[in-house]
Amino acid sequence: MDVEYLCHGVPLADYRLTKADHRRQQEAVQVHEWVQRQLAKAPPWSEERWQGLRQLLGSPTPPWELQRWQLRLYCGHVVEATRNRNSPRPDGGVCDKKRCPECGLDPAVIVAFRPLGPAAEPPTEIRSRKPGHSTRKPPADRRSKAELVAENNALRAELEALRDQA
């Protein structure tokens, strides 16, 4: 799938904060503080629950499915981050903040961004596949469409014969 990546606020070094940026940062701080208060009240999780969560989340995203972005954060620092390649924006329309690795501001709203390119090239066997085609084979107990159509026709003929007998 080809994605057309978006840019906002380029060049990043010259970006000027807007009222909307200030409002989004303030809201992000309020949400972050509320979550921290809720977490402080919550009972600690057992290792078993953490393990269950890890299983639900699955393995980490392979690097060839990630896009590199240059981000300008609310604090003014410009950093690089990787995000899922399927989204045209680094915030994916959902998470528009991150912790600034330079000054530690947490959360720091993403105010401007530009794509840099893929995080890695896919392995050769993945690149050689045709888009939209899976290399998985159907299970042995699955029948082809032709087999199902033939069985359907035979059952219809049998039903018609039973109706004629009645």
Side-chain angles (χ1 to χ4, degrees):
M1 172 169 81
D2 290 330
V3 177
E4 188 174 328
Y5 298 109
L6 303 175
C7 292
H8 174 70
V10 177
L12 301 181
D14 296 337
Y15 183 81
R16 300 286 177 234
L17 294 174
T18 65
K19 288 182 181 180
D21 294 330
H22 292 296
R23 185 179 59 254
R24 286 181 30 242
Q25 177 66 24
Q26 184 180 18
E27 290 170 355
V29 168
Q30 290 170 348
V31 168
H32 181 78
E33 289 171 352
W34 181 86
V35 168
Q36 294 303 317
R37 287 192 304 273
Q38 300 311 308
L39 287 173
K41 295 179 202 174
W45 273 19
S46 66
E47 184 55 38
E48 185 178 287
R49 279 184 96 178
W50 281 112
Q51 189 61 30
L53 180 63
R54 285 186 202 102
Q55 280 184 323
L56 280 173
L57 294 175
S59 57
T61 304
W64 57 87
E65 291 183 10
L66 298 173
Q67 170 72 14
R68 291 176 32 248
W69 293 88
Q70 190 175 40
L71 310 174
R72 164 97 182 228
L73 303 177
Y74 180 80
C75 57
H77 292 114
V78 176
V79 298
E80 189 175 306
T82 55
R83 299 287 192 269
N84 189 305
R85 285 182 78 163
N86 296 331
S87 177
R89 301 171 51 96
D91 55 15
V94 179
C95 183
D96 65 345
K97 52 197 164 295
K98 89 180 245 96
R99 182 183 181 282
C100 179
E102 294 187 34
C103 69
L105 181 62
D106 187 17
V109 171
I110 298 169
V111 295
F113 53 85
R114 73 180 182 99
L116 296 176
E121 288 298 320
T124 309
E125 65 272 7
I126 292 176
R127 272 185 292 196
S128 62
R129 284 188 212 153
K130 291 181 181 177
H133 288 78
S134 174
T135 58
R136 292 187 327 192
K137 295 192 173 144
D141 63 342
R142 299 223 17 212
R143 296 180 286 172
S144 70
K145 182 178 179 181
E147 291 170 323
L148 292 170
V149 167
E151 182 183 4
N152 188 17
N153 290 337
L155 289 171
R156 286 179 187 273
E158 184 181 339
L159 180 62
E160 197 60 39
L162 289 172
R163 282 187 183 151
D164 290 342
Q165 289 176 357

